[in-house]
Each structure stands twice: as structure tokens, then as C-alpha cells.
Amino acid sequence: MLRLLRGVGTRAAQLALLLAAVAVASFALMSASPVDPVDAYIGAELSAVGPEQRELIEQRWALDDSAPERFVAWAGELLRGNAGESHIYGQPVTEVIGSRLVASLGLMAGAWLLSGLFGFALGVLAGSRRGTLVDRGITWWAYTLSSAPTFWVGLILLYVFSVWLQWTPVCCAGPIGVLSEDVTLWQRLHHMLLPMLALSVVGIGPITLHTRQAVAEVLSQDHVTFARALGETPRGVLVRRVLRNAAAPAVMLQFASIGELFGGSVLAEQVFSYPGLGQATTQAALRQDVPLLLAIALVTAALVFVGNTLGDLVHRRLDPRAAPEVPGRSVPRPDRDAPVEQVSA
């Protein structure tokens, strides 16, 4: 129990340090940006705004203060639970992120599951048939997908399925002209399908290649050869001796890809005009919405940290050799399905 509390405390301290570093770095980058925030906010109506109105905007955003003063004021309000108000949406930042995050989480969760399941299945198939035509075809396909940009895959899918075949909608998270509260679950899933496929297709390649290599390494070990000599079927070898060992690196990679998945969602949401957190990030960056951009950076860093932590925990669960050694802890008894070299040790 004490070790668990110590581990939770360590993770919480690491997360706090990470968020502080991300906040300082993000604010410094935005303060050093050559883009004037007032010009970016006004946009095309710049000529219609007089000097008095411009001065009022600068006073409202405290642009007359120095960058450290503005950061200290923003951090103080954030610690009191106030993340500020979005300049471009005119709403509290928490409300903007809350509404956008729900749409993005559904999109990323679906893509994450699809890429993990299909990537692992294809990696096992290629690794178990290494050197065959099936292995070469899957490996070539995985390398091709790994080098394909998300926006390019999204444009291809958009042209084929929305423009040519007309099976899926062209844009948005619901039918155009229908209020968000009136959109049905089927309509939401229908509009989410294509951006989710664009995100998942790009993520399948790395999982496939890593799983293929892990399966090939496990199949070349002595305990697998011994099991085959005892008459175990290829299917039994694959299920009982290979899958668990090959799943550990795939799961670790899958959880570690959450940050990359969020980066891909920014491009996918732009291509499909999907109103998620990625599209809000693009708008906030282009129009210098500092409070919204800082809050999105913190939320994204927290999600990536949680994903990496979960991946680390699951990896240790699947592969006990990855767990840190604790002095005085007894060595677990090997089970009958453990590799022969571990049993004899």
C-alpha cells in the first residue's frame, strides 16, 4: 500500500512538473511570435477598427503589461480554477475545450482501437509467415502507410468515398443545417467514420511492423522450438507462447502513440471540417488566442502523460521483466507455459 501511494505521488509530481514546463514553454513561444495578436484577432476587418478600439482591446487583454506579468496573472487565475475566456469564441475556455474534447475523444478513441487491433492482427500474421508472399505484402503496405501523411490519406478517402462513391458525408460532425442537439447517434457515427479511418490507417503501419518483429523473435527462441518438438500445433504455439510476449511492445507503442494521434487529428479535422479540439487548436494558433491555446497545450500534455503511464503499467503487467526490481521481493514461481529458458533459470 505504501509503495502504491509512493508511486501515485511520484506520478503526480511528474505530471505537475510537466504541465509547468509546457505552460512556460508555450507562453514563451506565443510571446515571441511576430504575429500581432490584435491584428490576428480582427482579421479582414482591420481597416474598420480605429486606434481607440484597438487600444481598448489591448487594455482588455493586458498587452501593455510585460510577458512575465501576464504569465503570472494567467497562472494565478488558472490555479484558482479560471482558465480565462477564449478571444475568438467569446466563451470560457473550459466550455470550449469541454465541447470540443468530447468530439475529438470519440474520434481518437475509435481510430486508436482500429489501428491497434488491425495493426496487431496484421503483425501477427506477417510475423508467423515470415518470408512468404503474405509477409512481404503486409510489410510493404505497412511501410507505405507509415510514410503517408494524414492529410494526404484524408484527401484520398474524401475523394473516393465522399465525392466519387458518395457513401460518406463530405464534412462536419452532423448534417448541415441540423442543430447539434438534434443530431442522432447514427448520424454522428456516419460523419465520424471517414476522419476516424484516416487517423487509424496511418497508425496501423508502426504497430504492424513492431508486432511482426516481436513475433518473429519469439518464434525463433528455444522454448518455441522445444514446444514444436513435443508436438504442439502451430496454432497452439501462436496462442500460448507467442501472443502474450508479442503483445507487450505493441501495447507500449500503442499507448505511446496518443500524442502522435492528437497531432494527426489536427490535420484530419481540418480536412474534414470536423469541429473537434484539433480544429480549435488551428483556429487558436492562427488568431493568437493565447488563453485557449495554453489550455489546449496543457490538456494535450496531460492526455499524453496519462497514455504513457497506462502503457507503462500495462507493459509491466504483460511482461514482468519490465517491472523495476524491488529489494526483498520474492521471485514469482514460473508457470507451466513459461519459456523453457526461464523455467530452467
Side-chain angles (χ1 to χ4, degrees), residues 41-292:
Y41 171 71
I42 297 173
E45 300 177 354
L46 183 63
S47 58
V49 176
E52 295 82 7
Q53 292 174 301
R54 184 187 181 90
E55 186 176 356
L56 288 175
I57 296 175
E58 292 177 351
Q59 290 177 357
R60 178 180 174 81
W61 293 353
L63 295 180
D64 295 334
D65 299 338
S66 63
E69 290 176 339
R70 282 184 280 133
F71 178 76
V72 171
W74 171 81
E77 291 294 327
L78 183 66
L79 292 177
R80 285 191 286 270
N82 180 19
E85 183 174 326
S86 169
H87 299 163
I88 57 178
Y89 294 100
Q91 299 175 349
V93 167
T94 51
E95 292 183 6
V96 176
I97 292 181
S99 60
R100 297 290 182 130
L101 187 60
V102 172
S104 289
L105 283 182
L107 176 65
M108 290 190 291
W112 187 78
L113 287 175
L114 281 178
S115 62
L117 293 176
F118 279 99
F120 185 72
L122 291 175
V124 171
L125 180 61
S128 61
R129 300 187 179 186
R130 192 172 187 179
T132 64
L133 190 60
V134 174
D135 175 33
R136 293 174 184 174
I138 292 176
T139 303
W140 173 83
W141 188 64
Y143 275 119
T144 304
L145 291 182
S146 299
S147 59
T150 303
F151 73 92
W152 182 79
V153 175
L155 289 175
I156 295 295
L157 293 176
L158 191 65
Y159 175 76
V160 173
F161 293 100
S162 297
V163 179
W164 183 28
L165 299 176
Q166 298 184 354
W167 289 352
T168 55
V170 177
C171 71
C172 311
I176 298 176
V178 179
L179 296 177
S180 177
E181 55 268 23
D182 296 333
V183 179
T184 64
L185 178 61
W186 164 248
Q187 290 173 332
R188 293 183 187 278
L189 294 176
H190 193 205
H191 283 73
M192 186 192 299
L193 179 61
L194 216 52
M196 185 172 63
L197 280 178
L199 270 180
S200 63
V201 165
V202 176
I204 287 175
I207 300 296
T208 300
L209 295 175
H210 281 77
T211 305
R212 171 187 176 273
Q213 183 65 26
V215 169
E217 290 178 356
V218 175
L219 286 175
S220 64
Q221 293 180 359
D222 293 338
H223 67 92
V224 175
T225 305
F226 184 70
R228 286 171 172 166
L230 291 178
E232 193 162 1
T233 62
R235 182 178 181 181
V237 169
L238 192 65
V239 172
R240 284 196 287 270
R241 314 232 173 224
V242 175
L243 288 185
R244 179 169 178 172
N245 292 327
V251 169
M252 186 68 182
L253 180 65
Q254 182 69 358
F255 277 99
S257 67
I258 291 180
E260 184 180 353
L261 191 67
F262 181 81
S265 72
V266 174
L267 300 176
E269 290 178 8
Q270 283 297 116
V271 171
F272 295 98
S273 299
Y274 194 83
L277 199 60
Q279 192 184 54
T281 304
T282 306
Q283 293 297 322
L286 291 176
R287 302 187 64 180
Q288 289 288 300
D289 193 343
V290 177
L292 180 58

